[in-house]
Amino acid sequence: MTMMIVALLSIGVVSAQTRLVKGRVTDSKGTAVPGATIKTKAGASVAADDNGDFQINAKTGDVLTITAVTFGTVTSKVSETGSLSVVLEQKDNKLEEVVVTAMGVTRQAKELGYSTAKVRAAELTQASPVNLQNGLTGKVSGLNIQTTNSGVFGTTRITLRGIRSLTGNNQPMLVLDGVPLGLGFLSSINPNDIADVNILKSSSSTAIYGPDGVNGAIVVTTKKGTKGKPTVTFGQTTQLENISYLPKFQETFGSGYAPDDLGYGTFEPIEQQSWGDRFDGSMRQMGQTGPNGEKLMLPYSYVKNGRKNFFNTGVTNQTDISFAAGDFYLSAQNVTIKGIMPGDENNRRSFTLKADKEYGRFKAGFNLRYTNSQYDVTNNNTIVYYGVTSAPGQYDLSQFKNWRTDYFSSPDGYYTPYLDNNGKTPYFAKDNYREKGRSDDIFGNGELNFKATSWLNFTYRVGVTVANAESRSTRGAFNYSAFHNTLRDHGTLNITSAVSDASTVSNRITSEIFATLNKKFGKFGVGALLGQSYRESRSRFLSVGSNNLGTATLFSTQLRKGEPTVDVANSKTRLERYFGRFTFDYNNWAFLEATGSYDVDSRLVKPGTAFNKSDIAFFYPGASASIVLSQVIPALQNSNMISFAKIRGAVSKTGNVNLGAYAFENVFATSTFFPYGDILGFQATSTTVSNTYNPEFVVNKEIGVELAFAKNRINFEATYYNQDNTDQIIGVQQSNTTGYTTAVQNAASFTNKGLELDLKLTPLVKIGDVNIDFKVNYTNQKNKVTSIVDGVSELGIGNFNYAIVGQSAFVFKLTDYVRDDQGRVVVDRSTGMPTQNPNLSLFGKTMPEHILGLNLNVSWKGLSFSAVADYRTGNQIVADQLGGFLDDNGISERSAANGRRAFVFPNSVYDDGSGKFVENKDVYTQTYGRLFYNSDLNTDVTTNYLASGAFWKLREVALTYQIPVKIFGSGVSNVIKGATIGVNGRNLLMFLPKSNQWTDPEFSANGNSAYTGNAVGRSTAYNMPPTRIFGANLVIRF
Amino acid sequence: MRFKKIIIFTTLAGVFFAAGCKKEKFDINSNPDSVTDVSVTPSVLLPGAQQFTSSEIAGDWAFLQMWMGYWARSGSYQSITDIETYRFTNGFQVGIWNNLYANATNYNLMQTKAAASGQGFYDAVGRIMRSHNFQMLVDVYNNVPYFEAFKGTVVPTPKYDKGIDIYKDIFKQLDTAITLLKGATADAVSNPEKATSDLVYGGDNTKWIKFANTLRLRMLIHLHNGSATTTVAAGINVAEQVAKVSTEGFLGAGESAHLNPGFSGSKPQPYYRFYNTNESGSGSQRDQFRAGEYALEYYRYNGDPRINRFYVSPDGTTAGQTGITFGTPSGDQDLIGSKLSTVRGPGLSPNGAASRAWILTSVESLFLQAEARQRGVITTGPTAKQLLTAAIRESFVWLGLTSTNADTYIVGNETYPDVDYDAAGGGLFTILSQKWFALNTIAPFETWTDYRRTDYVLGTPVGYDPGPPISVDPANTSTKIPRRLLYPQNEYNYNATNVGAEGTIDVFTGKIFWDLN
């Protein structure tokens, strides 16, 4: 105690020669190195702040030692005047690297027996992504981030190392500053608040999180205040979003339906389908004559971008401001996204406050985040998009914008009556069917640490999230004019107003208490972590609405005619866990870890039965080890070639209760329209439950090697894993003669294998000030279904995805033509027509087998350029909905492939009468044009829309320049400490194989849903078109 | 001091660890909102199930409306290839199977629950309505799972039972139901809320007995083929079954199994919802179907005023009824939807969205009785001709016309065998023709059965032009209407062995057990 006071005094009492020396620590690229330690010989020590700036009391001529984790050490002499500029060489030193592991515990990477990856703030935000998901894409092996749709919400589906559940949740958990959260919270984190992200790739690394961590974890650590002078950072990013890809359209034929006697298309002015005659540029009347004799006359020729013109250029504006001082960090962000769908908007505002303080042995900290999102979108993308995409080629849709004032743009006078159930006109539909909503997410956590002794530490942490989402969907009224009804003999139904209000409140409370022990006994080290956690999750959903507000213009259920629609649902689960982790190390090169968990889960309680706690509890163990060879083997110790070598391995078992709350009860749903007054009506649902459920178990085994060569310039890491997923709780389909179509039970098992390779060349090239870094990551993943339930060998999970014993999960089963044994289509000898195979045929995998990510970084003085590209392959996609829809309407390039004349069916054969198949060269199809392409012989055959799922994407490109503020003179540089400007782009290029004529292969139906999203690879006709984003940003530090 | 602190903290932490959570804290897995096995009662299952039955009857049979000549696809819509060429896969009309089983599941749950708690009324109605669904299933698919059905995961792959065995068991179920309805446990005390929850007969036991009798008669009539007076389907003793018809008799005039729990624009009558306007103010099948020229021609020829009760002409006049022939290729501008009569006739939804829905009509009951009397299945009471006249009158009344209108129609068509029972070629042919006219849209599955079991094709005697309403789709090669449906694909996926034992199904030659033609 006395010693400490002396030490403090010695800093406080400043001698005459001592002055406040300022300086800045950067890496070789000029990027600030926050947290670098600056020490004087006398023992005083300070840390650089977030911007690498520091101030220390020192005398001229003093030698300062500057060190930072993963960087080398340099010394610098204090000169007489001016500030110090210290450049640290990045070492990526495997011996020093630290990672944040489960429970927020920081550990040295070399100790770990399993694979983790770290992504630093600079890499995450180099291209100013709106959310963390975008910033991580392509950067980590084993991590698959699939953007399943564009639009203002930018939905993604995230998996680590493939899947562990056939029908359940496969998305990793999110840990924010030590507190476990639902992955849904990811979108409400301001990417600029993040200090770094650690990816824990398997259940071995998340063992002490138990079931939540079975799919790995994304551990986010946010920035905190740093010692030194306060800094304010201001950032502004503006990005523009454009459609990058539309399906291939035909440009030859306009609107029409019926062919003439010779089979040529004929023009039909009110038709929405495009089976008309060839465009000839003549002026023609479109639609019907108006009430005052008005005619819509247009040239009958293809309008390039006529459909695309419906969409806007999206604009995203992102403004950030942060303040860091002492133990304090405050930030605010405002993001405004205006989508490509005209009128769609999503705004997000977030505030963060983080502070911590040490009081002797106690350390307390808290963290408070608030995010508010408000959106206003069309709630019926489907009908809007239908009207746009199906429009005949002679229209420029943007001419129909003013539906309120222009007769031919209004539902009354629109050129076609055939969009009746599809929103009447796309502009009307987008304005008339709206959803406005907001969500308020609050996250708070508090942490108390007590350092009992140098080797014993206690932590208590409590985290609360409250998410409140509310929305209002509306449909406006529209009455047709009397004139309109004279055009339609049976009249067109007027549209009545409707409203629906929904609100979901969910909250989650997590508390963790644990003790950590670390003790050295000579060359031996022993560590332990023992703890207990408790979690309660609740959610409550309420909705009320009315389908009939008559012609009301005020959207309120208060104005309802008849009864309102009401729905309510609650869910509550509790999980209590006891866990332990024991670590042993020898001489800093051999490490062993063992974990054990004992979980008690409320979801295993069968209501109405007596139970003991042990009935709802389960235990599972894990172990891992690592050996740093480069410190053991003498030949390696002194090698100039090899700077680091480590081998590692892990085996762990994790239990997971893959059930929602209340899973033991068969539920009866309210029958359609009930209640009628006092009369209630309920009916059985199609799902039946089991009497008992066991937790699913995942056994993860992995081995890996980590190598560094040439003074850590070359880093290589390889991991092979094998996961056994047993006793899966899934809904097994059964004959509905049993009373239920689905029985939820412990059934299937499957294995999941993969290889992950990471190669980092840092730098790849270094010539003078030019520094080029290059990183490659590669993932190979395969799985195989080993069993389902007795007597069942396949399980359909929707969207043509099937789990079939002996096959990968999942494969497509699709409708195909009848083919011969060489795969050629069998056509009729006289009609030339193929036939549909009544049985489904097996096709490729729906998840990519190979994922390759490339990261390039070039810097020269203050200028740096980065690019991320990725490639995925080994899977197939089906665009039957979009493809079928386009063929149906005669819009697609396919539908005009043969000039709408009879053709020889490609790659076809016919039976020559003797049972032998001969190649078809001259038998032309009996039907063609609309009669073929818009028949079920074309559109129902899903293999017509099957394509390779492969793609190359240039995900990110960014160019930034650090403005040397000094050139503006000291008047400026005293105020502005630094400034960066940059331009960036996202998804600039996409290369698709020729077979894919439809859309982004990442797009998928239900892709963003944790539970139903497993069935990937099938896009809908209503996914928004893929987009590319360009932007510029400015960051100023004060 | 330092040591003390450690002890205090460690003790506190230890207390926290040890205390943990009591097991009661985990007893929260009971659903606070949804009705479950524990809280469900027969009185909340019955209304939902009855409404579902009426909805299934109104909405699932559009393909038969077309096959039976009542409707056709509008010229504004693309051809429905499978329906219009009679060529289809195991995915065809699976809604029939799925809905009948789903609905029967609910009647079965209700019946089982009621039997366990001694609620004779709900028990009996459950048996009758479950039987009604199975009668329909057998008539569409012949052999189907019955005795092993509804056992959830206990029997995940139920065996298929012979159609005739299901018929036989249904007769037994009806016997039990009638006994229950006449017993003490069918009263209002044992069966809470039966007056309100029975949407069809308001808990009237007698009406349900009549319904059971009528269902039995429907099935007995199905056993009769051609013009034979005795059943040709062996194995069921018709006389014995007729003897079991209880003294309450059959559903008479005004005793249709209707329901209207309070249909309105926001909760429309099922028929109105499917083919006119739904609760959102639109209707997906509103314009897909139009009047079948085949049926229109008959009504027109006979000056039958019911034409304007089934159909609405484009100009709203009674003279302007225009139909389209089933299977006509689309593209003809004279045959677009707006130029054709709709199938939204006021006879089907007399009060628009607020109209009653139907399950089994008194009209059909009277036609069944007329045929039974004509064939000698019933040997007492009014004559076949009297019953037929009553049936025609009831048809007119049911559709919103009057008995007088019916009599005028009958008189006006004297000597035509499709109206005049006494005309040359009349008799059984008259009864079946009139049944086909009367049950337009209301029960196409029954007129399909009549087509399959008799020599008559709809309103037309054999060899008489124009023959059955075969699709004119150029791609159609069949001159016959299928006689059954294929089992759904899901059965081949999830109950493969059992459905496989039924062999390859041919929809033209594969027949229901009673179909000997």
Side-chain angles (χ1 to χ4, degrees), chain A residues 303 305-311 395-402 406 409 414 427:
Chain A
V303 180
N305 296 330
R307 300 180 189 100
K308 200 174 174 178
N309 288 346
F310 173 83
F311 295 99
Y395 296 107
D396 180 345
L397 285 179
S398 58
Q399 80 182 88
F400 300 113
K401 228 174 244 176
N402 305 315
D406 172 38
S409 302
Y414 202 55
Y427 280 102

Side-chain angles (χ1 to χ4, degrees), chain A residues 364-426:
Chain A
F366 78 93
N367 186 347
L368 193 64
R369 267 157 219 288
Y370 168 70
T371 303
N372 165 260
S373 301
Q374 295 188 22
Y375 61 87
D376 181 355
V377 297
T378 176
N379 71 351
N380 210 335
N381 269 334
T382 55
I383 59 171
V384 179
Y385 200 37
Y386 188 102
V388 174
T389 322
S390 62
Q394 73 260 29
Y395 296 107
D396 180 345
L397 285 179
S398 58
Q399 80 182 88
F400 300 113
K401 228 174 244 176
N402 305 315
W403 63 267
R404 287 186 177 87
T405 49
D406 172 38
Y407 173 74
F408 288 115
S409 302
S410 75
D412 252 335
Y414 202 55
Y415 65 84
T416 183
Y418 298 127
L419 287 174
D420 246 20
N421 290 319
N422 290 297
K424 319 292 179 189
T425 98

Side-chain angles (χ1 to χ4, degrees), chain A residues 202-448:
Chain A
S202 71
S203 52
S204 291
S205 48
T206 59
I208 59 176
Y209 281 123
D212 290 351
V214 75
N215 295 313
I218 297 176
V219 180
V220 177
T221 310
T222 58
K223 288 176 185 165
K224 52 185 176 185
T226 41
K227 294 183 176 65
K229 215 176 144 190
T231 37
V232 175
T233 308
F234 169 81
Q236 168 67 35
T237 304
T238 300
Q239 291 171 322
L240 302 179
E241 183 177 18
N242 272 326
I243 290 176
S244 61
Y245 188 88
L246 280 175
K248 297 209 165 69
F249 297 123
Q250 58 93 359
E251 304 183 357
T252 318
F253 301 96
S255 61
Y257 188 74
D260 66 13
D261 294 343
L262 296 171
Y264 289 98
T266 55
F267 176 68
E268 172 57 55
I270 64 164
E271 187 49 68
Q272 178 71 357
Q273 298 198 343
S274 293
W275 302 105
D277 56 339
R278 279 173 193 274
F279 288 123
D280 59 7
S282 61
M283 289 301 284
R284 296 188 189 184
Q285 181 183 358
M286 308 293 166
Q288 286 162 294
T289 306
N292 307 312
E294 312 94 315
K295 287 183 162 81
L296 177 66
M297 299 297 293
L298 289 173
Y300 189 63
S301 54
Y302 187 75
V303 180
K304 201 143 182 90
N305 296 330
R307 300 180 189 100
K308 200 174 174 178
N309 288 346
F310 173 83
F311 295 99
N312 279 356
T313 296
V315 182
T316 298
N317 265 303
Q318 210 176 314
T319 311
D320 294 281
I321 187 152
S322 71
F323 174 81
D327 306 319
F328 189 74
Y329 178 82
L330 187 66
S331 82
Q333 184 187 42
N334 185 25
V335 182
T336 311
I337 305 168
K338 285 191 165 66
I340 54 165
M341 175 66 81
D344 277 14
E345 199 173 321
N346 185 16
N347 298 319
R348 184 181 76 200
R349 298 171 192 90
S350 57
F351 301 94
T352 303
L353 173 62
K354 197 173 168 182
D356 55 64
K357 195 85 189 164
E358 279 185 53
Y359 303 96
R361 293 173 183 283
F362 285 97
K363 190 174 156 193
F366 78 93
N367 186 347
L368 193 64
R369 267 157 219 288
Y370 168 70
T371 303
N372 165 260
S373 301
Q374 295 188 22
Y375 61 87
D376 181 355
V377 297
T378 176
N379 71 351
N380 210 335
N381 269 334
T382 55
I383 59 171
V384 179
Y385 200 37
Y386 188 102
V388 174
T389 322
S390 62
Q394 73 260 29
Y395 296 107
D396 180 345
L397 285 179
S398 58
Q399 80 182 88
F400 300 113
K401 228 174 244 176
N402 305 315
W403 63 267
R404 287 186 177 87
T405 49
D406 172 38
Y407 173 74
F408 288 115
S409 302
S410 75
D412 252 335
Y414 202 55
Y415 65 84
T416 183
Y418 298 127
L419 287 174
D420 246 20
N421 290 319
N422 290 297
K424 319 292 179 189
T425 98
Y427 280 102
F428 170 78
K430 82 163 175 64
D431 287 341
N432 204 47
Y433 300 87
R434 306 292 304 172
E435 180 175 327
K436 283 184 190 179
R438 64 177 283 157
S439 61
D440 294 276
D441 295 344
I442 299 167
F443 165 73
N445 80 321
E447 189 175 318
L448 192 62

Side-chain angles (χ1 to χ4, degrees), chain A residues 443-471:
Chain A
F443 165 73
N445 80 321
E447 189 175 318
L448 192 62
N449 266 287
F450 174 65
K451 196 171 169 61
T453 68
S454 62
W455 51 268
L456 178 62
N457 197 46
F458 292 93
T459 305
Y460 178 65
R461 188 183 285 147
V462 59
V464 180
T465 56
V466 181
N468 184 5
E470 50 195 73
S471 64

Side-chain angles (χ1 to χ4, degrees), chain A residues 257-258 268 270 273 361-362 418 420-421 450 452-453 456 458-460 475 487-494 496 511 513-515 530-532 534 547-548 561-563 568-570 572-576 578 600-609 611-613 616 660-669 671-684 688-690 733-740 743 745 792 794-796 802 836 838-839 888 930 934-936, chain B residues 2 5-6 9-10 13 16-38 40 43-45 47-49 51-52 75-79 81-82 89-90 97-98 101-102 105-106 109 145 148-153 155-158 160 193 196-197 199 261-268 273 276-277 279-284 286-287 290 312-315 330-333 336-342 344 489-491 493-495:
Chain A
Y257 188 74
E268 172 57 55
I270 64 164
Q273 298 198 343
R361 293 173 183 283
F362 285 97
Y418 298 127
D420 246 20
N421 290 319
F450 174 65
T453 68
L456 178 62
F458 292 93
T459 305
Y460 178 65
R475 178 182 77 212
L487 298 175
R488 312 261 185 277
D489 294 320
H490 292 288
T492 308
L493 289 166
N494 290 332
T496 55
S511 83
I513 181 161
F514 58 92
L530 288 168
Q532 186 247 22
Y534 177 71
N547 262 321
N548 189 3
K561 294 182 176 173
E563 293 171 47
V568 56
N570 281 284
K572 182 153 85 177
T573 61
R574 288 179 177 147
L575 174 68
E576 187 188 9
Y578 299 88
V600 187
D601 197 317
S602 73
R603 289 171 297 178
L604 291 175
V605 174
K606 187 172 163 61
T609 55
F611 68 97
N612 287 318
K613 224 165 153 178
I616 54 167
Y662 323 131
F664 282 90
E665 295 171 316
N666 275 334
V667 167
F668 290 78
S671 302
T672 314
F673 297 135
F674 279 87
Y676 287 90
D678 293 343
I679 307 166
L680 299 176
F682 286 89
Q683 61 191 37
T688 186
V689 299
S690 290
Q733 285 116 321
Q734 56 181 24
S735 162
N736 54 1
T737 65
T738 62
Y740 304 92
Q745 50 191 303
V792 179
E794 67 177 57
L795 178 76
Y802 283 79
Q836 186 184 323
N839 302 311
D888 219 38
R930 177 178 67 82
N934 159 330
S935 77
D936 51 13
Chain B
R2 190 183 85 178
K5 264 190 197 161
I6 297 174
F9 200 93
T10 316
F16 196 91
F17 275 61
C21 302
K22 293 235 165 64
K23 75 173 189 190
E24 287 71 30
K25 212 161 178 181
F26 292 91
D27 200 1
I28 54 163
N29 207 27
S30 171
N31 199 316
D33 295 301
S34 302
V35 173
T36 62
D37 285 330
V38 183
V40 77
S43 66
V44 302
L45 285 173
Q51 197 215 23
F52 192 96
S76 299
Y77 279 74
Q78 295 167 26
S79 56
T81 316
D82 48 9
T89 65
N90 301 98
W97 175 282
N98 294 347
Y101 267 104
T105 302
N106 285 283
L109 280 162
E148 289 187 352
F150 309 127
K151 299 199 191 311
T153 47
V155 185
T157 52
Y160 279 56
E193 298 179 273
T196 48
S197 72
L199 302 180
F263 292 130
S264 64
S266 56
K267 299 181 175 188
R273 182 179 185 225
N276 198 326
T277 309
E279 63 281 8
S280 310
S282 59
S284 60
R286 186 182 148 81
D287 287 311
R290 289 291 186 253
V312 179
S313 64
D315 57 0
S330 52
D332 184 339
Q333 284 305 306
I336 58 172
S338 59
K339 297 184 177 168
L340 301 170
S341 299
T342 71
R344 301 175 210 148
Q489 185 61 44
N490 273 359
E491 284 297 292
N493 293 349
Y494 309 120
N495 197 8

